[in-house]
């Protein structure tokens, strides 16, 4: 007879069949993280701030048949910081920037070699004061996947999003590979993310990169602004793989160049491509926020298949 654990794994293997054929031999169902920078200086000022972040990511596919699954889930984040330097000994208030994203899409397998995932990402991103249509943004991505070998997968795709600063898009090129001894893993989504790690026993050691641009509608003092976040995060990490059953604890330490630009609402670029802005005549309202060292703790509920 199957025990409870075996039944759960069998159920998830069937549920996630299209993902298993074209991905890792696991899926991170829930990921929760908290991070904080040490000291972010304002350019041209002696003042500084720190940035704290809280993130939660849920992925829950729904099987349609052996070749197709609906992708569902959600992403929540909160970033807290001072957007302006202190003046005349008076400390400026901290601002909370929230983002809630719905994940809805389709993952399909066409053959033993080819598959595809398309996901729509509608979101509400702002300080969550007087939520309106100005807080709503729509994004998404499409990924074509080619399984070269059992342990090597190539990815080709595109990510696009409407933001308060205008339309932004970037191509995606990457791959996933796992060494034959299952110790060295590479998970690449350039130019968005990189994860390279080595597992020994119950511990994993790795390097990660994450880069993204996003925006938040902002209403303060009867003024309508928005914040554009340009983030590049580089970190080394150590991971304990047996915190609880199927639960991983990861500690990261690194450097992040998180710049939060404040602009008048309605001022936009013509077009954003990767890290380049075209037709950008905007006037930034706050000083540039410099990067900082940061520390982050993540807890992951991972199901191996």
């Amino acid at each position: 007879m199957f025990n409870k654990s075996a039944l759960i794994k069998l159920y998830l293997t069937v549920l996630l069949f299209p993902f298993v054929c074209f991905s890792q031999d696991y899926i991170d169902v829930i990921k929760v993280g908290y991070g904080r920078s040490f000291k972010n200086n304002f350019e041209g000022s002696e003042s500084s701030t720190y940035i704290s972040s809280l993130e939660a990511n849920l992925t829950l596919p729904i099987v349609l048949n052996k070749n197709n699954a609906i992708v569902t889930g959600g992403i929540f984040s909160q970033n807290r910081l001072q957007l302006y330097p202190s003046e005349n000994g008076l400390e400026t208030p901290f601002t909370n920037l929230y983002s809630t994203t719905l994940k809805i899409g389709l993952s399909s397998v066409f053959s033993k070699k080819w598959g595809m995932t398309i996901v729509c990402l509608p979101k509400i991103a702002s300080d969550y004061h007087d939520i309106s249509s100005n807080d709503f943004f729509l994004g998404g991505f499409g990924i074509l996947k080619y399984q070269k070998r059992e342990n090597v997968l190539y990815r080709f795709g595109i990510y696009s999003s409407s933001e308060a600063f205008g339309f932004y898009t970037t191509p995606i090129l990457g791959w996933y590979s796992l060494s034959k001894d299952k110790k060295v893993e590479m998970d690449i989504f350039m130019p968005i993310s990189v994860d390279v790690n080595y597992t020994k026993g119950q511990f994993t050691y790795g390097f990660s990169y994450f880069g993204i641009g996003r925006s938040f509608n902002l209403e303060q003092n009867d003024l309508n602004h928005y914040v554009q976040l340009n983030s590049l995060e580089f970190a080394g990490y150590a991971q304990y793989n047996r915190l609880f059953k199927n639960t991983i604890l990861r500690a990261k330490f690194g450097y992040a160049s998180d710049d939060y630009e404040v602009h008048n609402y309605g001022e936009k670029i013509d077009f954003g491509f990767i890290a380049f802005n075209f037709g950008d005549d905007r006037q930034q309202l706050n000083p540039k926020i410099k990067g900082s060292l940061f520390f982050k703790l993540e807890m992951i509920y991972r199901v191996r298949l």
Side-chain angles (χ1 to χ4, degrees):
M1 294 180 65
F2 286 112
N3 58 32
K4 183 177 180 181
S5 176
L7 286 172
I8 291 174
K9 287 186 177 181
L10 176 62
Y11 168 75
L12 287 170
T13 301
V14 174
L15 177 68
L16 305 173
F17 181 82
F19 291 85
V20 176
C21 293
F22 281 86
S23 66
Q24 308 97 321
D25 61 351
Y26 62 83
I27 183 170
D28 292 340
V29 179
I30 301 174
K31 180 177 178 180
V32 179
Y34 174 80
R36 177 167 167 169
S37 67
F38 291 97
K39 185 179 181 181
N40 297 82
N41 294 315
F42 289 95
E43 191 173 83
S45 172
E46 295 182 358
S47 295
S48 64
T49 184
Y50 67 84
I51 302 169
S52 63
S53 63
L54 176 65
E55 301 168 350
N57 194 327
L58 170 68
T59 300
L60 187 61
I62 301 173
V63 68
L64 298 177
N65 52 53
K66 68 177 183 178
N67 293 324
N68 300 280
I70 295 175
V71 181
T72 68
I75 307 169
F76 172 80
S77 70
Q78 177 193 14
N79 298 316
R80 177 178 171 82
L81 76 156
Q82 293 165 294
L83 293 171
Y84 296 90
S86 301
E87 294 183 356
N88 301 321
L90 298 177
E91 187 172 291
T92 58
F94 277 78
T95 299
N96 291 306
L97 302 172
Y98 303 93
S99 178
T100 303
T101 304
L102 174 67
K103 293 191 284 188
I104 182 71
L106 178 69
S107 182
S108 299
V109 173
F110 305 137
S111 67
K112 292 182 179 181
K113 294 289 186 180
W114 292 96
M116 180 180 67
T117 298
I118 298 176
V119 178
C120 184
L121 300 169
K123 68 178 178 180
I124 295 176
S126 70
D127 55 5
Y128 282 12
H129 292 164
D130 300 324
I131 294 177
S132 68
S133 60
N134 290 342
D135 302 347
F136 179 81
F137 307 98
L138 181 62
F141 66 86
I143 301 289
L144 186 64
K145 295 170 280 188
Y146 173 67
Q147 189 90 43
K148 183 177 182 180
R149 296 191 298 273
E150 182 180 355
N151 63 331
V152 178
L153 168 74
Y154 292 110
R155 301 161 171 144
F156 316 91
I158 190 168
Y159 170 83
S160 299
S161 179
S162 66
E163 299 288 344
F165 56 83
F167 185 76
Y168 166 80
T169 190
T170 182
I172 298 173
L173 297 174
W175 69 90
Y176 173 82
S177 65
L178 183 66
S179 63
K180 292 183 179 181
D181 60 5
K182 297 188 176 181
K183 290 185 176 181
V184 179
E185 182 184 42
M186 301 181 68
D187 194 5
I188 313 296
F189 280 92
M190 288 300 294
I192 297 174
S193 68
V194 171
D195 190 311
V196 180
N197 61 71
Y198 171 78
T199 298
K200 184 177 182 180
Q202 296 183 355
F203 292 89
T204 297
Y205 309 93
F207 167 82
S208 68
Y209 155 80
F210 183 70
I212 196 168
R214 63 180 71 170
S215 60
F216 307 86
N217 190 36
L218 183 64
E219 295 187 12
Q220 291 183 334
N221 302 322
D222 297 323
L223 298 175
N224 197 355
H225 298 150
Y226 70 85
V227 177
Q228 178 179 343
L229 167 60
N230 303 305
S231 176
L232 295 175
E233 178 184 295
F234 304 87
Y237 66 84
Q239 175 177 297
Y240 181 55
N241 300 315
R242 296 291 185 272
L243 180 64
F244 304 109
K245 186 176 180 61
N246 296 328
T247 305
I248 293 168
L249 181 64
R250 179 184 294 165
K252 287 184 174 182
F253 179 79
Y255 179 84
S257 59
D258 293 337
D259 187 18
Y260 291 77
E261 301 178 5
V262 180
H263 297 277
N264 285 315
Y265 195 87
E267 293 185 355
K268 297 184 178 183
I269 63 174
D270 291 340
F271 181 67
F273 181 73
I274 310 180
F276 304 99
N277 293 333
F278 298 92
D280 188 359
D281 297 323
R282 299 170 300 166
Q283 181 68 40
Q284 185 173 334
L285 302 178
N286 66 327
K288 178 180 176 62
I289 299 175
K290 297 182 179 180
S292 169
L293 296 174
F294 76 94
F295 179 77
K296 181 181 289 187
L297 280 177
E298 296 177 340
M299 188 174 293
I300 304 166
Y301 183 76
R302 173 172 292 179
V303 178
R304 293 198 172 271
L305 306 168

